[in-house]
Amino acid sequence: QNRADLGYDSEPKRTLLRRRREARRRERQAALEQQLNMAAEHNDDNFNNAENQNRVTLGQYINPTADSCGSTI
């Protein structure tokens, strides 16, 4: 039989280091994706809030408020 079929590794230290490096890379990638998703959700929330704050109803144009009226003196 072939040694590769038995799971024989001629360079176990190199394989271990490579696997650790790959695991760290995957962890960093997952953390980055999570941060990007959180930032995108935060931006969407801010966009929706700003969009809602900029809406003006017809009643706001018709009914004057103390802030919208200037002094007559």
Side-chain angles (χ1 to χ4, degrees), residues 4-70:
D5 294 338
L6 299 175
Y8 174 77
D9 189 356
S10 62
E11 297 181 358
K13 186 174 182 178
R14 180 177 280 182
T15 301
L16 176 65
L17 294 175
R18 179 180 50 83
R19 287 182 180 176
R20 283 183 181 168
R21 189 172 49 246
E22 289 172 355
R24 283 193 303 265
R25 184 184 50 80
R26 283 191 303 270
E27 288 173 2
R28 284 192 305 266
Q29 184 69 26
L32 179 61
E33 287 176 5
Q34 183 180 12
Q35 289 175 347
L36 289 174
N37 288 338
M38 290 173 61
E41 289 173 7
H42 182 71
N43 287 340
D44 287 345
D45 290 344
N46 286 343
F47 177 76
N48 289 336
N49 288 340
E51 190 176 81
N52 289 337
Q53 289 174 357
N54 292 334
R55 290 186 181 172
V56 179
T57 64
L58 187 57
Q60 290 171 318
Y61 286 114
I62 295 172
N63 299 326
T65 62
D67 294 333
S68 66
C69 294

